[in-house]
Amino acid sequence: MCIRDRVSTQSTGNHRRSMGKESNGSPETVPGDFDVYLLAQTWNPQFCCDNPSKCCVVKGTYATTHLSLHGLWPGWVQPRGSYTWPQFCRTSHKAIKEHVPLAAFDLAPAYRGELWKHEWDKHGTCSSLGAAIYFAEAMRTMLSLPGKGTPELLVQNIGRDVSSSNLRAQYPRQVGIRTDRNGNLQEITTCFQKLSNGQVGLQVDCPLHVLQSALNNCRSAQLHVPAFDQCAVKHRQNYKQIKKILEKH
């Protein structure tokens, strides 16, 4: 059962910190009042390790070996007080699932559930774009990145460690990289210009509040690129080791 949309709804605090240091989404903004876009992409093999009951992908699919779309978020380069992005803006634009491009269900598997609705309600409403254009822009922006969204360095090193500096070098601009405490890749955030028509422009360096965020600032020299089901293999190995120890006693 694909219920990953609940993660986005229930973990608002984590999303706040991912865009800035302990910051909040502003409760009083109007559509179009922002100056930068953030594109968040998830590494599903690690997400599924951390949240097996909320995993939306199956072995052998595209999302098990490539970054997938989490969301396209309007934000501010300079925080406004403690706020770093607008959210839940009032707009006349409405969204239905048919506004989501069919390709999104492979490139953003959690959108098969209700994550698309959460992303629209919280972030898309502040873009000033209609829902169909907003989701199309999210997909187009992701596919404009190196490797059509996933750097070749990741694809070629699944299940192995990579240099964090080499991963950053895959992008033309500074990005935010999120790992867990063990150095497992979780998410990558890239940033883009906002064009005068509200659509997405060229990639730019992510704002300092993104780069310096405790969640987005991977400082270790190496990070691990988990393979899908790698955590299940580790669990089985640990079980066998424990069983052997018990059998000796």
Side-chain angles (χ1 to χ4, degrees):
M1 181 179 180
C2 185
I3 55 174
R4 185 172 164 189
D5 55 290
R6 297 181 185 175
V7 175
S8 295
T9 303
Q10 294 175 350
S11 62
T12 304
N14 287 340
H15 288 176
R16 289 172 179 170
R17 289 187 292 272
S18 72
M19 296 182 78
K21 288 186 176 180
E22 302 296 334
S23 59
N24 296 298
S26 174
E28 298 178 359
T29 50
V30 295
D33 183 15
F34 66 97
D35 53 16
V36 69
Y37 272 112
L38 281 67
L39 186 83
Q41 293 176 273
T42 299
W43 187 252
N44 273 295
Q46 186 58 35
F47 178 86
C48 291
C49 277
D50 295 335
N51 308 275
S53 65
K54 300 178 178 67
C55 182
C56 296
V57 300
V58 295
K59 189 173 183 179
T61 58
Y62 184 88
T64 61
T65 56
H66 294 76
L67 289 162
S68 63
L69 176 67
H70 180 166
L72 178 66
W73 305 336
W76 293 309
V77 173
Q78 297 295 332
R80 299 184 180 182
S82 62
Y83 300 127
T84 57
W85 80 94
Q87 64 178 4
F88 298 112
C89 296
R90 293 185 179 182
T91 177
S92 60
H93 294 298
K94 305 297 181 184
I96 57 175
K97 200 164 190 175
E98 284 70 22
H99 287 146
V100 181
L102 289 176
F105 300 119
D106 289 323
L107 304 179
Y111 282 36
R112 295 178 190 138
E114 297 297 313
L115 180 60
W116 67 271
K117 185 177 187 305
H118 170 79
E119 291 298 312
W120 167 256
D121 289 345
K122 185 174 182 180
H123 302 290
T125 54
C126 297
S127 69
S128 79
L129 302 173
I133 297 176
Y134 168 75
F135 288 117
E137 281 293 276
M139 297 303 302
R140 180 186 68 79
T141 303
M142 175 175 154
L143 292 173
S144 74
L145 289 167
K148 293 188 176 181
T150 305
E152 195 65 24
L153 180 70
L154 293 181
V155 177
Q156 293 179 350
N157 288 281
I158 293 173
R160 296 194 288 265
D161 292 347
V162 299
S163 161
S164 56
S165 60
N166 286 347
L167 178 56
R168 293 182 191 281
Q170 301 294 299
Y171 296 91
R173 296 290 186 170
Q174 294 188 64
V175 304
I177 299 176
R178 181 188 300 185
T179 62
D180 67 8
R181 66 180 63 184
N182 296 314
N184 294 304
L185 178 64
Q186 294 178 309
E187 195 157 277
I188 294 179
T189 301
T190 47
C191 303
F192 298 83
Q193 295 172 331
K194 170 203 172 186
L195 299 179
S196 58
N197 63 1
Q199 292 180 272
V200 182
L202 298 175
Q203 187 180 353
V204 296
D205 291 340
C206 283
L208 288 178
H209 64 76
V210 174
L211 298 176
Q212 294 177 353
S213 166
L215 291 183
N216 278 341
N217 189 12
C218 173
R219 293 184 176 88
S220 69
Q222 299 282 319
L223 60 86
H224 186 68
V225 186
F228 192 70
D229 281 346
Q230 184 169 303
C231 55
V233 172
K234 287 184 177 179
H235 291 327
R236 288 194 293 270
Q237 290 174 340
N238 290 339
Y239 171 77
K240 290 179 180 178
Q241 290 175 353
I242 294 172
K243 186 178 179 181
K244 287 181 179 179
I245 294 173
L246 293 175
E247 288 174 347
K248 291 180 180 179
H249 290 280

